[in-house]
Amino acid sequence: MCQVDEEYNGLLESPVASSATKKCNKCKETTAALVLKPGESLCRGCFKEHFVHKFRAMLGKNRIIFPGEKVLLAVSGGSSSCAMLNQVQEGLGQNAHKKLRFKPGIVYIDEGCLLGQSTEKRQKTMAQINSLFKMTGFPHHIIPLEMVLNLPPSVLEPVHLATDDPAGSYKEAVDHFMQSSPVHSVDPRVDRSELSALTDATNPQLIAEAQTQTLQELFSRVKTLTAKEDLLHTLRRHLLVSTARTEGYSKLMLGENCTRLAVKLLANIALGRGAQLAVDTAFCDPRYGDIVAVKPMRDYTAKEISLYNYMWNVPYVFIPSLETKTADKSSIQRLTESFVVKLQVDFPSTVSTIYRTGEKLQTASVTEDIERAPLKCLFCMCTLDTALASLRPDTQTKCGAPCDQQDGEEHCQAQAVCCSHKGGDSMNLESLLCYSCQQTVKDMTSVEFLPQYIMSEAQRRNRRSQIRHEISEFLLTEDGDSPSIKADS
Ligand SMILES: [Zn+2]
Ligand SMILES: [Zn+2]
Protein backbone atom coordinates (compact mmCIF):
# COMPACT_ATOMS: atom_id res chain seq x y z
CA MET A 1 0.00 0.00 0.00
CA CYS A 2 2.82 2.30 0.79
CA GLN A 3 4.17 1.77 -2.69
CA VAL A 4 1.15 3.50 -4.19
CA ASP A 5 1.66 6.58 -2.12
CA GLU A 6 5.35 6.72 -2.70
CA GLU A 7 4.63 7.47 -6.32
CA TYR A 8 2.73 10.52 -5.23
CA ASN A 9 5.11 13.37 -5.73
CA GLY A 10 3.82 15.47 -2.91
CA LEU A 11 2.37 18.25 -4.96
CA LEU A 12 -1.18 19.37 -4.68
CA GLU A 13 -2.90 19.77 -7.98
CA SER A 14 -3.04 23.43 -8.70
CA PRO A 15 -6.66 23.95 -7.73
CA VAL A 16 -7.58 26.25 -10.56
CA ALA A 17 -5.48 25.28 -13.52
CA SER A 18 -5.02 21.55 -14.06
CA SER A 19 -7.44 19.81 -11.74
CA ALA A 20 -10.47 21.81 -12.68
CA THR A 21 -11.19 19.35 -15.43
CA LYS A 22 -9.98 16.18 -13.64
CA LYS A 23 -12.39 13.96 -11.76
CA CYS A 24 -11.42 11.79 -8.80
CA ASN A 25 -10.33 8.36 -10.01
CA LYS A 26 -12.10 6.64 -7.17
CA CYS A 27 -15.58 8.11 -6.92
CA LYS A 28 -15.48 9.51 -10.47
CA GLU A 29 -17.75 12.34 -9.36
CA THR A 30 -15.92 14.98 -7.42
CA THR A 31 -13.11 17.13 -8.75
CA ALA A 32 -9.70 15.75 -7.82
CA ALA A 33 -7.73 17.67 -5.24
CA LEU A 34 -4.39 15.85 -5.33
CA VAL A 35 -2.40 13.36 -7.35
CA LEU A 36 -1.37 10.20 -5.54
CA LYS A 37 0.63 9.07 -8.53
CA PRO A 38 0.63 10.03 -12.17
CA GLY A 39 -2.77 9.09 -13.53
CA GLU A 40 -4.30 8.63 -10.08
CA SER A 41 -6.02 11.66 -8.69
CA LEU A 42 -8.21 11.74 -5.62
CA CYS A 43 -10.76 14.15 -4.24
CA ARG A 44 -10.56 15.31 -0.62
CA GLY A 45 -13.16 12.85 0.56
CA CYS A 46 -11.60 9.82 -1.11
CA PHE A 47 -8.12 10.78 0.11
CA LYS A 48 -9.42 10.98 3.65
CA GLU A 49 -11.13 7.62 3.32
CA HIS A 50 -7.93 6.09 1.95
CA PHE A 51 -5.88 7.60 4.79
CA VAL A 52 -8.26 6.50 7.54
CA HIS A 53 -8.62 3.03 6.06
CA LYS A 54 -4.87 2.52 6.12
CA PHE A 55 -4.70 3.23 9.86
CA ARG A 56 -7.52 0.88 10.71
CA ALA A 57 -6.20 -1.79 8.38
CA MET A 58 -2.79 -1.65 10.07
CA LEU A 59 -4.32 -2.16 13.51
CA GLY A 60 -6.85 -4.70 12.27
CA LYS A 61 -4.29 -6.79 10.43
CA ASN A 62 -1.96 -7.05 13.39
CA ARG A 63 -4.56 -7.67 16.11
CA ILE A 64 -2.20 -6.71 18.85
CA ILE A 65 -4.27 -4.05 20.57
CA PHE A 66 -7.14 -5.54 22.49
CA PRO A 67 -10.52 -3.89 23.09
CA GLY A 68 -10.53 -1.97 26.34
CA GLU A 69 -6.74 -2.02 26.55
CA LYS A 70 -4.94 1.13 27.70
CA VAL A 71 -2.67 2.46 24.96
CA LEU A 72 -0.17 5.25 25.49
CA LEU A 73 0.38 7.43 22.43
CA ALA A 74 3.84 8.98 22.31
CA VAL A 75 3.22 12.37 20.71
CA SER A 76 6.15 14.64 19.99
CA GLY A 77 4.01 17.45 18.65
CA GLY A 78 5.32 16.76 15.14
CA SER A 79 3.18 16.11 12.09
CA SER A 80 3.43 12.33 12.11
CA SER A 81 2.51 11.68 15.74
CA CYS A 82 -0.20 14.37 15.62
CA ALA A 83 -1.70 12.64 12.56
CA MET A 84 -1.64 9.42 14.62
CA LEU A 85 -3.43 11.17 17.48
CA ASN A 86 -5.97 12.48 14.98
CA GLN A 87 -6.59 8.99 13.62
CA VAL A 88 -7.19 7.63 17.10
CA GLN A 89 -9.69 10.43 17.77
CA GLU A 90 -11.39 9.71 14.46
CA GLY A 91 -11.47 6.02 15.24
CA LEU A 92 -13.10 6.51 18.63
CA GLY A 93 -15.73 8.73 17.10
CA GLN A 94 -16.62 6.23 14.37
CA ASN A 95 -19.89 4.39 14.30
CA ALA A 96 -20.21 1.11 16.12
CA HIS A 97 -18.73 -1.55 13.88
CA LYS A 98 -15.77 0.54 12.76
CA LYS A 99 -15.02 2.00 16.15
CA LEU A 100 -11.63 1.65 17.78
CA ARG A 101 -12.12 0.12 21.19
CA PHE A 102 -8.95 0.75 23.13
CA LYS A 103 -8.45 3.45 25.77
CA PRO A 104 -5.89 6.03 24.68
CA GLY A 105 -3.70 8.30 26.76
CA ILE A 106 -1.01 10.68 25.52
CA VAL A 107 2.56 11.31 26.61
CA TYR A 108 4.88 14.12 25.58
CA ILE A 109 8.52 14.33 26.62
CA ASP A 110 10.01 17.78 26.81
CA GLU A 111 13.65 17.83 25.74
CA GLY A 112 14.08 21.58 26.06
CA CYS A 113 16.87 21.14 28.59
CA LEU A 114 19.16 19.68 25.92
CA LEU A 115 18.59 22.62 23.62
CA GLY A 116 19.55 25.07 26.33
CA GLN A 117 16.06 26.53 26.39
CA SER A 118 15.02 28.89 29.15
CA THR A 119 12.36 27.87 31.64
CA GLU A 120 9.99 30.37 30.01
CA LYS A 121 10.53 28.91 26.58
CA ARG A 122 9.98 25.38 27.85
CA GLN A 123 6.84 26.38 29.68
CA LYS A 124 5.51 28.05 26.56
CA THR A 125 6.05 24.88 24.51
CA MET A 126 4.48 22.73 27.20
CA ALA A 127 1.47 25.04 27.39
CA GLN A 128 1.02 24.71 23.62
CA ILE A 129 1.25 20.95 23.86
CA ASN A 130 -1.06 20.93 26.85
CA SER A 131 -3.81 22.82 25.03
CA LEU A 132 -3.38 20.54 22.02
CA PHE A 133 -3.82 17.48 24.25
CA LYS A 134 -6.69 18.98 26.25
CA MET A 135 -8.78 19.23 23.10
CA THR A 136 -8.69 15.45 22.75
CA GLY A 137 -10.20 14.79 26.17
CA PHE A 138 -7.71 11.94 26.63
CA PRO A 139 -5.62 11.61 29.78
CA HIS A 140 -2.21 13.10 29.08
CA HIS A 141 1.21 13.23 30.64
CA ILE A 142 3.69 16.00 29.90
CA ILE A 143 7.04 14.94 31.20
CA PRO A 144 10.37 16.78 31.24
CA LEU A 145 13.29 14.64 30.13
CA GLU A 146 14.89 15.29 33.55
CA MET A 147 12.45 12.76 34.97
CA VAL A 148 14.65 10.07 33.46
CA LEU A 149 17.04 10.67 36.37
CA ASN A 150 14.40 9.39 38.78
CA LEU A 151 13.77 6.08 37.06
CA PRO A 152 14.25 2.84 39.02
CA PRO A 153 16.83 0.28 37.77
CA SER A 154 13.93 -2.12 37.20
CA VAL A 155 12.99 -0.19 34.07
CA LEU A 156 15.92 -1.93 32.36
CA GLU A 157 14.54 -5.38 33.08
CA PRO A 158 12.16 -6.68 30.46
CA VAL A 159 9.08 -8.01 32.22
CA HIS A 160 8.13 -11.40 30.86
CA LEU A 161 4.51 -12.26 30.54
CA ALA A 162 3.06 -15.71 30.14
CA THR A 163 2.19 -15.88 26.46
CA ASP A 164 -0.70 -17.99 25.34
CA ASP A 165 -2.14 -18.14 21.86
CA PRO A 166 -2.41 -14.47 20.87
CA ALA A 167 -5.12 -15.02 18.24
CA GLY A 168 -7.30 -16.88 20.70
CA SER A 169 -6.87 -14.34 23.45
CA TYR A 170 -7.64 -11.50 21.06
CA LYS A 171 -10.97 -13.10 20.22
CA GLU A 172 -11.71 -13.69 23.88
CA ALA A 173 -10.99 -10.06 24.66
CA VAL A 174 -13.32 -8.89 21.88
CA ASP A 175 -16.10 -11.17 23.11
CA HIS A 176 -15.62 -10.06 26.68
CA PHE A 177 -15.63 -6.43 25.64
CA MET A 178 -18.82 -6.81 23.60
CA GLN A 179 -20.60 -8.45 26.51
CA SER A 180 -19.43 -6.14 29.22
CA SER A 181 -20.05 -2.77 27.60
CA PRO A 182 -22.94 -1.40 25.58
CA VAL A 183 -21.63 -0.53 22.14
CA HIS A 184 -22.14 3.21 22.40
CA SER A 185 -20.69 3.76 25.83
CA VAL A 186 -17.05 4.55 25.11
CA ASP A 187 -17.34 8.17 24.14
CA PRO A 188 -13.97 9.60 25.16
CA ARG A 189 -15.64 12.84 26.20
CA VAL A 190 -18.05 11.31 28.67
CA ASP A 191 -15.77 11.24 31.66
CA ARG A 192 -13.82 14.32 30.85
CA SER A 193 -14.13 15.80 34.32
CA GLU A 194 -12.93 12.60 35.87
CA LEU A 195 -10.00 12.49 33.49
CA SER A 196 -8.92 16.06 33.99
CA ALA A 197 -8.02 15.17 37.55
CA LEU A 198 -5.54 12.67 36.19
CA THR A 199 -4.16 14.83 33.45
CA ASP A 200 -2.39 17.52 35.37
CA ALA A 201 0.78 18.01 33.47
CA THR A 202 3.98 17.83 35.37
CA ASN A 203 5.00 21.33 36.22
CA PRO A 204 8.44 22.04 34.78
CA GLN A 205 9.19 24.26 37.74
CA LEU A 206 9.15 21.19 39.93
CA ILE A 207 12.23 20.01 38.11
CA ALA A 208 15.17 20.95 40.21
CA GLU A 209 17.80 23.06 38.53
CA ALA A 210 20.31 20.43 39.60
CA GLN A 211 18.62 17.77 37.51
CA THR A 212 18.66 19.94 34.41
CA GLN A 213 22.36 20.51 35.01
CA THR A 214 23.09 16.81 35.46
CA LEU A 215 21.45 16.04 32.15
CA GLN A 216 23.31 18.85 30.44
CA GLU A 217 26.58 17.64 32.00
CA LEU A 218 25.86 14.15 30.69
CA PHE A 219 25.29 15.32 27.14
CA SER A 220 28.25 17.67 27.22
CA ARG A 221 30.40 14.56 27.77
CA VAL A 222 29.15 13.09 24.50
CA LYS A 223 31.50 14.06 21.70
CA THR A 224 29.46 13.46 18.55
CA LEU A 225 25.94 14.36 17.50
CA THR A 226 25.47 10.77 16.34
CA ALA A 227 26.07 9.49 19.86
CA LYS A 228 24.02 12.30 21.41
CA GLU A 229 21.01 11.38 19.31
CA ASP A 230 21.48 7.75 20.13
CA LEU A 231 21.73 8.38 23.86
CA LEU A 232 18.71 10.68 23.79
CA HIS A 233 16.72 8.04 21.94
CA THR A 234 17.68 5.48 24.58
CA LEU A 235 16.77 7.69 27.55
CA ARG A 236 13.54 8.84 25.95
CA ARG A 237 12.51 5.25 25.33
CA HIS A 238 13.23 4.26 28.95
CA LEU A 239 11.09 7.16 30.12
CA LEU A 240 8.23 6.19 27.79
CA VAL A 241 8.27 2.55 28.89
CA SER A 242 8.43 3.54 32.54
CA THR A 243 5.56 6.01 32.15
CA ALA A 244 3.47 3.35 30.44
CA ARG A 245 4.16 0.96 33.33
CA THR A 246 3.46 3.37 36.15
CA GLU A 247 0.30 4.73 34.51
CA GLY A 248 -1.05 1.27 33.75
CA TYR A 249 -0.75 1.20 29.96
CA SER A 250 0.19 -2.03 28.22
CA LYS A 251 0.88 -0.69 24.71
CA LEU A 252 3.01 2.17 23.54
CA MET A 253 2.02 3.71 20.21
CA LEU A 254 4.78 5.45 18.27
CA GLY A 255 4.27 7.81 15.33
CA GLU A 256 7.17 6.75 13.14
CA ASN A 257 6.21 6.85 9.46
CA CYS A 258 7.51 5.01 6.41
CA THR A 259 10.07 7.69 5.53
CA ARG A 260 11.31 7.84 9.12
CA LEU A 261 11.67 4.07 9.30
CA ALA A 262 13.59 3.93 6.03
CA VAL A 263 16.00 6.48 7.51
CA LYS A 264 16.21 4.48 10.71
CA LEU A 265 16.88 1.24 8.88
CA LEU A 266 19.77 2.67 6.89
CA ALA A 267 21.13 4.61 9.86
CA ASN A 268 20.95 1.46 11.96
CA ILE A 269 23.07 -0.37 9.43
CA ALA A 270 25.59 2.45 9.47
CA LEU A 271 25.59 2.49 13.28
CA GLY A 272 26.19 -1.24 13.55
CA ARG A 273 22.71 -1.92 14.83
CA GLY A 274 22.21 -4.92 12.59
CA ALA A 275 20.88 -7.04 15.43
CA GLN A 276 18.13 -4.52 16.15
CA LEU A 277 16.95 -3.90 12.59
CA ALA A 278 13.94 -6.18 12.74
CA VAL A 279 12.48 -4.94 16.04
CA ASP A 280 13.35 -1.31 15.38
CA THR A 281 11.37 -1.13 12.17
CA ALA A 282 8.64 -3.78 12.55
CA PHE A 283 5.05 -2.91 13.48
CA CYS A 284 5.43 -4.62 16.81
CA ASP A 285 8.42 -4.26 19.13
CA PRO A 286 8.26 -6.75 22.03
CA ARG A 287 11.65 -6.05 23.59
CA TYR A 288 10.28 -4.61 26.85
CA GLY A 289 8.12 -7.63 27.56
CA ASP A 290 4.98 -6.31 29.25
CA ILE A 291 4.91 -3.03 27.29
CA VAL A 292 4.67 -3.66 23.56
CA ALA A 293 5.56 -0.78 21.26
CA VAL A 294 3.59 -0.52 18.02
CA LYS A 295 3.99 1.71 14.96
CA PRO A 296 0.66 2.21 13.22
CA MET A 297 1.96 5.04 10.98
CA ARG A 298 4.59 2.89 9.30
CA ASP A 299 2.69 2.66 6.01
CA TYR A 300 2.42 6.41 5.52
CA THR A 301 5.03 8.58 3.87
CA ALA A 302 6.00 11.87 5.46
CA LYS A 303 4.52 13.77 2.54
CA GLU A 304 1.26 11.91 2.63
CA ILE A 305 0.96 12.86 6.29
CA SER A 306 1.80 16.52 5.69
CA LEU A 307 -0.81 16.64 2.97
CA TYR A 308 -3.45 15.06 5.19
CA ASN A 309 -2.66 17.40 8.08
CA TYR A 310 -2.80 20.39 5.75
CA MET A 311 -6.09 19.42 4.09
CA TRP A 312 -7.85 18.48 7.30
CA ASN A 313 -6.32 21.09 9.60
CA VAL A 314 -4.72 18.62 11.97
CA PRO A 315 -2.98 20.79 14.55
CA TYR A 316 0.67 20.19 15.35
CA VAL A 317 3.46 22.11 16.99
CA PHE A 318 6.91 22.71 15.60
CA ILE A 319 9.37 21.70 18.26
CA PRO A 320 13.10 21.94 17.64
CA SER A 321 15.22 18.88 18.36
CA LEU A 322 18.92 18.11 18.63
CA GLU A 323 18.99 17.70 14.85
CA THR A 324 17.24 20.96 14.04
CA LYS A 325 19.36 23.38 12.05
CA THR A 326 22.28 21.00 11.87
CA ALA A 327 24.19 20.39 8.67
CA ASP A 328 23.55 17.27 6.60
CA LYS A 329 26.84 15.75 7.63
CA SER A 330 26.63 16.49 11.34
CA SER A 331 25.54 12.97 12.31
CA ILE A 332 25.01 9.60 10.72
CA GLN A 333 21.27 9.85 11.34
CA ARG A 334 21.13 13.31 9.77
CA LEU A 335 23.20 12.27 6.75
CA THR A 336 21.03 9.22 6.19
CA GLU A 337 17.94 11.37 6.42
CA SER A 338 19.10 13.79 3.77
CA PHE A 339 20.06 10.83 1.57
CA VAL A 340 16.61 9.25 1.89
CA VAL A 341 14.82 12.55 1.33
CA LYS A 342 16.80 13.12 -1.86
CA LEU A 343 16.21 9.53 -2.91
CA GLN A 344 12.49 10.00 -2.45
CA VAL A 345 12.45 12.89 -4.89
CA ASP A 346 14.04 10.99 -7.76
CA PHE A 347 13.19 7.37 -7.00
CA PRO A 348 10.03 7.47 -4.90
CA SER A 349 9.30 3.77 -4.64
CA THR A 350 12.81 2.93 -3.46
CA VAL A 351 12.04 4.30 -0.01
CA SER A 352 9.21 1.88 0.67
CA THR A 353 11.40 -0.91 -0.67
CA ILE A 354 14.03 -0.02 1.90
CA TYR A 355 11.70 -0.13 4.84
CA ARG A 356 9.90 -3.21 3.61
CA THR A 357 13.24 -4.98 3.58
CA GLY A 358 13.27 -4.49 7.35
CA GLU A 359 10.12 -6.57 7.62
CA LYS A 360 11.78 -9.54 6.02
CA LEU A 361 14.61 -9.56 8.51
CA GLN A 362 14.26 -11.91 11.39
CA THR A 363 16.67 -12.39 14.20
CA ALA A 364 16.89 -15.04 16.84
CA SER A 365 15.95 -12.40 19.38
CA VAL A 366 12.31 -12.67 18.39
CA THR A 367 11.99 -15.90 20.29
CA GLU A 368 12.23 -14.72 23.85
CA ASP A 369 14.04 -17.01 26.19
CA ILE A 370 13.77 -16.24 29.85
CA GLU A 371 17.03 -18.05 30.58
CA ARG A 372 18.85 -15.57 28.39
CA ALA A 373 17.06 -12.57 29.82
CA PRO A 374 20.16 -11.12 31.50
CA LEU A 375 21.92 -10.96 28.16
CA LYS A 376 20.03 -7.91 26.99
CA CYS A 377 21.75 -4.68 26.18
CA LEU A 378 21.66 -2.37 29.19
CA PHE A 379 20.77 0.61 26.98
CA CYS A 380 18.57 -0.48 24.08
CA MET A 381 17.35 -3.73 25.65
CA CYS A 382 17.89 -5.75 22.50
CA THR A 383 19.49 -9.16 22.67
CA LEU A 384 23.24 -8.70 23.01
CA ASP A 385 25.01 -9.22 19.70
CA THR A 386 28.27 -9.10 21.64
CA ALA A 387 27.28 -11.90 24.00
CA LEU A 388 30.38 -14.04 23.66
CA ALA A 389 32.82 -11.23 24.14
CA SER A 390 30.79 -9.87 27.02
CA LEU A 391 31.26 -13.00 29.05
CA ARG A 392 34.85 -12.24 29.64
CA PRO A 393 35.25 -12.26 33.36
CA ASP A 394 38.04 -9.73 33.58
CA THR A 395 36.49 -6.43 34.42
CA GLN A 396 39.58 -4.36 34.86
CA THR A 397 41.43 -3.91 31.60
CA LYS A 398 39.72 -3.41 28.30
CA CYS A 399 41.62 -0.94 26.26
CA GLY A 400 44.43 -3.21 25.27
CA ALA A 401 46.95 -1.39 27.38
CA PRO A 402 47.52 -1.69 31.08
CA CYS A 403 45.51 0.95 32.82
CA ASP A 404 47.04 2.75 35.70
CA GLN A 405 46.07 5.98 37.31
CA GLN A 406 48.93 7.94 35.73
CA ASP A 407 48.63 7.28 32.05
CA GLY A 408 45.10 5.91 32.13
CA GLU A 409 43.80 9.17 30.79
CA GLU A 410 45.26 8.58 27.40
CA HIS A 411 43.62 5.24 26.61
CA CYS A 412 40.45 6.42 28.19
CA GLN A 413 40.00 9.14 25.65
CA ALA A 414 39.04 6.46 23.22
CA GLN A 415 37.66 3.91 25.60
CA ALA A 416 35.77 5.95 28.08
CA VAL A 417 34.54 3.18 30.28
CA CYS A 418 37.16 0.54 29.82
CA CYS A 419 39.20 1.50 32.81
CA SER A 420 38.00 0.88 36.27
CA HIS A 421 39.06 4.23 37.64
CA LYS A 422 37.34 6.24 34.93
CA GLY A 423 33.77 5.75 35.99
CA GLY A 424 34.56 6.20 39.64
CA ASP A 425 34.23 2.58 40.66
CA SER A 426 35.09 -0.70 39.10
CA MET A 427 32.52 -0.97 36.41
CA ASN A 428 32.56 -2.76 33.13
CA LEU A 429 29.79 -1.07 31.24
CA GLU A 430 30.99 -2.15 27.84
CA SER A 431 30.34 -5.84 28.39
CA LEU A 432 26.70 -5.08 29.14
CA LEU A 433 26.09 -3.23 25.89
CA CYS A 434 25.37 -4.27 22.32
CA TYR A 435 27.90 -3.31 19.67
CA SER A 436 26.08 -0.13 18.72
CA CYS A 437 25.53 1.12 22.26
CA GLN A 438 29.21 0.41 22.93
CA GLN A 439 30.02 2.87 20.15
CA THR A 440 27.83 5.48 21.81
CA VAL A 441 29.62 5.04 25.12
CA LYS A 442 32.99 5.16 23.38
CA ASP A 443 32.01 8.58 22.10
CA MET A 444 31.64 9.79 25.66
CA THR A 445 34.53 11.33 27.52
CA SER A 446 33.05 10.17 30.82
CA VAL A 447 30.13 8.13 32.04
CA GLU A 448 29.98 9.63 35.51
CA PHE A 449 26.81 11.58 34.70
CA LEU A 450 24.86 8.63 33.39
CA PRO A 451 21.59 8.33 35.31
CA GLN A 452 21.80 6.38 38.56
CA TYR A 453 19.31 3.72 37.45
CA ILE A 454 21.66 2.72 34.63
CA MET A 455 24.72 2.60 36.86
CA SER A 456 22.93 0.62 39.60
CA GLU A 457 21.65 -1.92 37.12
CA ALA A 458 25.11 -2.18 35.55
CA GLN A 459 26.65 -2.89 38.94
CA ARG A 460 24.04 -5.50 39.67
CA ARG A 461 24.65 -7.26 36.35
CA ASN A 462 28.39 -7.12 36.77
CA ARG A 463 28.17 -8.65 40.23
CA ARG A 464 25.90 -11.32 38.86
CA SER A 465 28.22 -12.26 36.04
CA GLN A 466 31.14 -12.22 38.45
CA ILE A 467 29.35 -14.69 40.70
CA ARG A 468 28.33 -16.79 37.74
CA HIS A 469 31.93 -16.93 36.67
CA GLU A 470 33.07 -17.94 40.13
CA ILE A 471 30.63 -20.82 40.33
CA SER A 472 30.81 -21.75 36.67
CA GLU A 473 32.99 -24.81 37.12
CA PHE A 474 30.41 -26.34 39.43
CA LEU A 475 27.54 -25.85 37.00
CA LEU A 476 26.43 -28.35 34.42
CA THR A 477 24.88 -27.22 31.17
CA GLU A 478 22.08 -29.01 29.41
CA ASP A 479 24.10 -30.18 26.44
CA GLY A 480 26.74 -31.58 28.72
CA ASP A 481 29.26 -29.12 27.42
CA SER A 482 31.36 -27.06 29.68
CA PRO A 483 29.46 -23.95 30.66
CA SER A 484 29.51 -21.30 27.98
CA ILE A 485 30.84 -18.80 30.42
CA LYS A 486 34.20 -20.51 30.28
CA ALA A 487 34.44 -20.22 26.54
CA ASP A 488 36.39 -17.03 26.63
CA SER A 489 38.23 -17.30 29.90
ZN1 LIG B 1 -13.46 10.87 -4.83
ZN1 LIG C 1 22.23 -1.61 22.78
Side-chain angles (χ1 to χ4, degrees), residues 61-92:
K61 181 175 73 183
N62 289 286
R63 295 196 149 204
I64 283 172
I65 298 175
F66 289 15
E69 190 169 16
K70 281 181 80 184
V71 178
L72 186 60
L73 281 63
V75 175
S76 67
S79 59
S80 196
S81 56
C82 283
M84 174 175 81
L85 178 57
N86 174 272
Q87 287 305 299
V88 170
Q89 283 180 277
E90 289 271 336
L92 289 165

Side-chain angles (χ1 to χ4, degrees), residues 62 82 89 112 122 147 232 273 286 291 302 317 360 363 395 399 449 461 464 471:
N62 289 286
C82 283
Q89 283 180 277
R122 294 182 72 184
M147 295 297 278
L232 173 59
R273 283 192 179 275
I291 308 291
V317 186
K360 299 187 174 72
T363 57
T395 56
C399 57
F449 289 99
R461 290 190 194 183
R464 206 183 140 95
I471 64 171

Side-chain angles (χ1 to χ4, degrees), residues 273 276 377-382 384 433-437:
R273 283 192 179 275
Q276 293 91 327
C377 173
L378 185 69
F379 280 12
C380 69
M381 299 172 76
C382 277
L384 278 187
L433 299 173
C434 70
Y435 174 78
S436 170
C437 294

Side-chain angles (χ1 to χ4, degrees), residues 96-111:
H97 75 285
K98 281 184 172 175
K99 203 178 170 80
L100 291 178
R101 296 199 169 85
F102 58 84
K103 293 179 181 159
I106 322 171
V107 61
Y108 168 80
I109 295 179
D110 172 59
E111 295 155 11

Side-chain angles (χ1 to χ4, degrees), residues 33-53:
L34 60 103
V35 185
L36 272 187
K37 65 174 180 178
E40 190 177 342
S41 314
L42 292 182
C43 68
R44 275 168 65 92
C46 289
F47 174 56
K48 183 167 184 178
E49 201 175 293
H50 155 91
F51 196 93
V52 171
H53 170 76

